[in-house]
Amino acid sequence: MTTVHDTARFAVVVGALGVVFGDIGTSPIYTLQTVFNPEDPHPVPVSDANVFGVVSLIFWSVTIIVTVTYVLLALRADNDGEGGIMALITALRRWKSPRGRRTVVALAALGIFGAALFFGDSMITPSISVLSAVEGIKVVRPSLSSLVIPVTVVIIVALFMGQRRGTAAVGRVFGPVMIAWFLTIGACGVGGIAQNPDILKALSPTYAVAFLAGHFHIAFFSLAAIVLAVTGAEALYADMGHFGRRAITRGWVILVFPACVLSYFGQGAVVLADPANISSPFFLLVPEWGRWPMVLLATAATVIASQAVITGAFSVAAQAARLGYLPRLRIAHTSESTAGQIYVPWINWLLMVSVLTLVFAFRRSSALAYAYGTAVICTITCTTLLFFFVARSRWGTPTWLLALGATILVALDLLFVAANLTKLLHGAWLSLLIGLTAFTVMTTWQRGRHIVTAERDRKEGSLREFIARLHSEELPVRIVPGTAVFLNRGRDTAPLALRANVEHNHVRHEHVVIMSLTTEPVPRVPAAERITVDGLGYADDGITHVTVRHGYIESPDVPAALRMLTAEQTEGQIDVDNARYFLSKIELRPGSEPTMANWRKRLFIATSYITADAAEAFALPRDRTVIIGSHIDV
C-alpha cells in the first residue's frame, strides 16, 4: 500500500514538473542574454565585476521572490486548494477589516489588477518562450533563420489544439521531458562552472549588494531584465489547484531550483571566459556536438513553459467567473481526482489568437522581453501585498513580523517595478495595456452584474409570496396538463419565466418544478445526497422546488435529475419525457440611469455575449426548451 501511495505521489510531482515549472524553468534561455543585450536602451557593459554582480542578483532574486515569497509563504494561502491571486481575493472577501469595507474593496481591486496582468503574462509567455528556443536555430545554422517564425507558429497552434486533452494528460507527456530538461541544463551548468569555478563567489550576497550600491546607475536598469529570472512564479501559484502544494514544493526544491541556479552560474562562467559569448550564453554553454539536440529540447521545454501559464489562466478565469468578475464560462473538468484540472475553451482560443498576433507583430523574443518582465513583476507585487493582508486576517500573525517581512519583500518588488517602468516606451506599455484592458472588462462586468442582480431580484420578487398569491387565487390562472420545469438561481426568488407565464398568459402547468443546480467541491455526489425537495409550504398544489447537487467532474443533467424524483416528492407523478423546460433570458439594454458610464454599459452588454449557453450546459432537450425573455436596463 505504501509503495502504491508513494508511486502516486511521485506521479503527481512528475505531472507538476510537466506543467507548473515550464515557465520559470526556461528563463535561463534568455535572462542573462537580455541583461547584457547591446541593443538595450540602457546597456549593461560586459565586465567581470558586472557579471559577478548580475549572476548574484539573479540568484538572490530567485531565492527571495520565488523560494521565500511563493514556495514558503504564498502557497500556504489557498482557497479550498486553489491558488493564485484570485484565491487571495476570495480570502480577503471573507475578512472583516477593522477599517471597514473600503479597505477590502481597495485590496480586491489591487488583486483584480494583478490577475488582469497575469492574463497579459499568459499571452506574452508562449510568444517569447517558443520564439527564444526556436531562435537557437540561428546559433546552430544561421542559414535557417527564415524558418523561425513559421516553426514558432506551428508549435503554438499545436499547443493550444492539445489543451482539450486536459492538464493530467499533458503533464504525463511533458513531465519526463522537463525532468530531462532540468537534468541537462544543470549538467551543462556544472560543465561551465568547472571551466571557471570563481563564478561560485557570486553565491555571496555581497556581490549583489556591491553591484547595486557601487554601480546603481547600471544595476538599476539591469533589474528590468533580471526580473525575467522569476517569470512563472505567479503561474506556479495559480497552478496549485492542479497538483497541490506538496508536489510543487518538492519539485522546486529538489530539482527545478538547483538546475536553474547551475545554469545561470555556468552561463556566467562562459561569459567570464569570453565576453563575446554573451550573444547566446545558454546555447554556447552546450558543447558544439550537443547544440542541435539542445535546440530541440529547449523548444519542447518552452512549449511546456507556455503550458504553465495557459493552465494558470484557466484557473484564474474560472475563479474570476465564480467571484462574479467574468460571465459564466463553459468549463470542462478533466480529472476525477483533482478539482483544479480544467479546460476553458473560450480562454484557450482567445489566448491562441493573442499569442499568434504577438509573434507576427514583434517577430523577435528580445522585442517582447520588457513587456514580459513588467507583467510578471507587477503581478508579483500585487500578490505579495495581498498575501500579507491575508496572513494578518487568517492566521493572526504578529503585526511586527508582518511589517518586517512586508517591508523587505515589497521594497524589493517595487525596485523591480521602478526599473521596468523605465522601459515603458520600449515594450513595457504592451503588458500594461493588456492588463488595463482586462481590468476594465472584469471590473465593468462585476459592477454591471451587481446592477442587474439587484434589478432582477426586484422584478422576480419573493418565491414564497408568489406561491401564496397563487394559492389564494389572487393571481387567477388556468391549470393546463403537463409538467413545466423552471431553472432558477436559488429558492428565494420567483423565476421570471414562471412569473411571465402566470401574469401575462394566466396559465400554469399541473406540475411545476422550480430547479436550482449547485456544484460541490467533490468529484461526484452520491445519488442519496443529490436531490433536496421543498414543497414551498403547500403539499397539494403540484409546485415544488428542487435543489440538485453535482460534483465538479459531473456534467449537470436536468432530465436525469428529474427521473430521480418520486411522485410523493413532486406532489404527483411528473412526465419527464414530455416535460417543458423554461429559461429566463435577460436582454440587457443601456438605460438612462447613471449607474455606469455609457461606454461601460456597452462594454458590459458586449461581454455578456460570451456567457455559456444554459440549454447546452444543463443538457436540456432543445425541442422542448422555451426561452421567455425579459429586459433589464443597465
Side-chain angles (χ1 to χ4, degrees):
M1 182 65 70
T2 304
T3 303
V4 173
H5 188 59
D6 290 342
T7 302
R9 285 193 298 185
F10 177 74
V12 173
V13 174
V14 172
L17 287 168
V19 173
V20 176
F21 299 108
D23 192 3
I24 199 165
T26 53
S27 57
I29 297 176
Y30 45 77
T31 299
L32 201 67
Q33 176 183 345
T34 305
V35 173
F36 292 102
N37 182 8
E39 298 178 5
D40 189 291
H42 307 99
V44 177
V46 181
S47 67
D48 287 3
N50 289 349
V51 170
F52 276 103
V54 166
V55 172
S56 185
L57 266 179
I58 290 174
F59 171 73
W60 286 103
S61 297
V62 173
T63 300
I64 295 172
I65 293 176
V66 183
T67 306
V68 176
T69 301
Y70 277 91
V71 176
L72 295 183
L73 298 178
L75 286 181
R76 299 179 183 275
D78 66 289
N79 175 48
D80 296 328
E82 291 283 353
I85 199 165
M86 296 303 297
L88 295 177
I89 295 172
T90 305
L92 283 171
R93 284 183 157 196
R94 300 170 180 168
W95 177 37
K96 304 299 181 184
S97 170
R99 297 185 180 181
R101 183 173 175 273
R102 289 185 177 180
T103 301
V104 176
V105 170
L107 291 170
L110 180 67
I112 292 300
F113 183 61
L117 286 168
F118 181 71
F119 284 123
D121 184 9
S122 304
M123 296 174 187
I124 299 171
T125 294
S127 312
I128 189 173
S129 297
V130 179
L131 268 175
S132 64
V134 179
E135 284 171 350
I137 293 174
K138 295 189 290 187
V139 177
V140 181
R141 190 71 60 83
S143 61
L144 298 178
S145 298
S146 60
L147 294 178
V148 170
I149 298 299
V151 170
T152 299
V153 169
V154 170
I155 290 171
I156 288 171
V157 171
L159 171 66
F160 282 99
M161 293 294 289
Q163 292 303 312
R164 68 185 65 190
R165 299 180 62 85
T167 306
V170 172
R172 283 194 297 270
V173 174
F174 285 171
V177 176
M178 288 310 293
I179 292 175
W181 168 257
F182 288 119
L183 292 176
T184 301
I185 67 171
C188 291
V190 170
I193 294 169
Q195 297 177 30
N196 195 340
D198 282 352
I199 191 64
L200 293 176
K201 295 177 182 178
L203 288 169
S204 170
T206 56
Y207 284 88
V209 173
F211 182 53
L212 275 173
H215 307 276
F216 188 76
H217 63 290
I218 296 175
F220 174 71
F221 294 112
S222 74
L223 294 176
I226 289 173
V227 73
L228 297 175
V230 299
T231 56
E234 182 62 28
L236 176 151
Y237 185 26
D239 279 332
M240 183 168 68
H242 294 257
F243 298 99
R245 179 171 65 88
R246 289 186 177 180
I248 293 174
T249 301
R250 288 169 179 166
W252 173 255
V253 173
I254 295 173
L255 182 59
V256 181
F257 183 45
C260 290
V261 168
L262 288 171
S263 179
Y264 285 123
F265 276 77
Q267 290 180 57
V270 166
V271 175
L272 286 177
D274 183 357
N277 288 335
I278 200 58
S279 61
S280 186
F282 177 82
F283 287 106
L284 292 173
L285 184 62
V286 183
E288 189 170 349
W289 57 264
R291 287 176 188 166
W292 262 120
M294 178 57 86
V295 169
L296 297 176
L297 183 59
T299 302
T302 53
V303 169
I304 299 167
S306 306
Q307 183 65 48
V309 291
I310 293 169
T311 53
F314 291 164
S315 297
V316 170
Q319 293 178 68
R322 286 198 295 268
L323 290 174
Y325 290 101
L326 285 175
R328 179 181 70 242
L329 300 170
R330 186 165 74 85
I331 298 173
H333 290 275
T334 58
S335 171
E336 295 198 23
S337 60
T338 307
Q341 293 191 8
I342 58 175
Y343 166 63
V344 187
W346 198 90
I347 296 296
N348 186 65
W349 304 126
L350 173 66
L351 288 178
M352 187 183 80
V353 171
S354 302
V355 169
L356 291 175
T357 301
L358 291 178
V359 168
F360 285 120
F362 286 86
R363 306 188 72 83
R364 291 180 296 112
S365 60
S366 59
L368 283 162
Y370 300 120
Y372 192 26
T374 302
V376 168
I377 194 57
C378 287
T379 303
I380 288 173
T381 304
C382 294
T383 298
T384 305
L385 286 167
L386 293 186
F387 168 79
F388 282 104
F389 280 97
V390 170
R392 182 75 182 101
S393 63
R394 178 182 289 187
W395 302 312
T397 309
T399 304
W400 69 268
L401 184 59
L402 286 176
L404 178 62
T407 299
I408 295 172
L409 296 180
V410 174
L412 178 63
D413 290 347
L414 290 177
L415 187 61
F416 277 106
V417 170
N420 275 271
L421 291 179
T422 64
K423 312 295 185 181
L424 196 61
L425 299 179
H426 305 282
W429 60 268
L430 175 64
S431 57
L432 294 179
L433 178 62
I434 295 173
L436 286 171
T437 301
F439 177 79
T440 303
V441 170
M442 294 167 76
T443 53
T444 298
W445 181 260
Q446 192 269 346
R447 173 61 182 158
R449 181 175 173 272
H450 177 76
I451 295 168
V452 170
T453 299
E455 180 62 17
R456 184 166 181 169
D457 287 346
R458 187 189 67 79
K459 285 191 171 189
E460 290 177 340
S462 168
L463 175 59
R464 290 188 179 272
E465 289 180 7
F466 181 75
I467 300 300
R469 292 175 65 195
L470 277 176
H471 223 261
S472 66
E473 298 185 353
E474 181 182 339
L475 294 172
V477 295
R478 184 166 64 90
I479 298 178
V480 297
T483 299
V485 182
F486 294 85
L487 269 64
N488 203 33
R489 297 171 298 152
R491 62 179 184 178
D492 295 326
T493 60
L496 285 176
L498 174 60
R499 186 177 287 277
N501 246 358
V502 169
E503 294 179 349
H504 298 294
N505 300 328
H506 304 294
V507 296
R508 78 166 180 88
H509 288 73
E510 179 183 6
H511 294 289
V512 174
V513 177
I514 303 168
M515 182 177 288
S516 303
L517 297 100
T518 62
T519 303
E520 303 296 328
V522 294
R524 299 184 186 277
V525 173
E529 301 174 11
R530 188 174 300 279
I531 303 290
T532 301
V533 181
D534 184 351
L536 299 174
Y538 303 95
D540 57 355
D541 60 356
I543 304 176
T544 55
H545 183 280
V546 178
T547 300
V548 181
R549 300 178 182 85
H550 58 273
Y552 62 77
I553 191 64
E554 298 174 297
S555 299
D557 190 327
V558 171
L562 289 173
R563 289 189 173 88
M564 299 178 66
L565 298 169
T566 65
E568 291 75 19
Q569 289 175 311
T570 55
E571 302 171 11
Q573 187 64 47
I574 63 174
D575 185 3
V576 178
D577 292 330
N578 296 296
R580 295 293 186 268
Y581 300 88
F582 291 83
L583 297 175
S584 304
K585 180 176 177 59
I586 303 297
E587 179 186 349
L588 302 174
R589 304 184 308 191
S592 58
E593 294 295 320
T595 53
M596 291 191 292
N598 286 333
W599 66 268
R600 292 190 74 189
K601 292 180 181 181
R602 292 185 176 86
L603 176 61
F604 173 72
I605 293 170
T607 307
S608 70
Y609 293 130
I610 69 172
T611 304
D613 179 69
E616 179 184 348
F618 304 133
L620 304 182
R622 293 279 185 180
D623 59 336
R624 288 185 281 121
T625 298
V626 180
I627 298 176
I628 297 182
S630 179
H631 73 266
I632 289 179
D633 291 337
V634 181

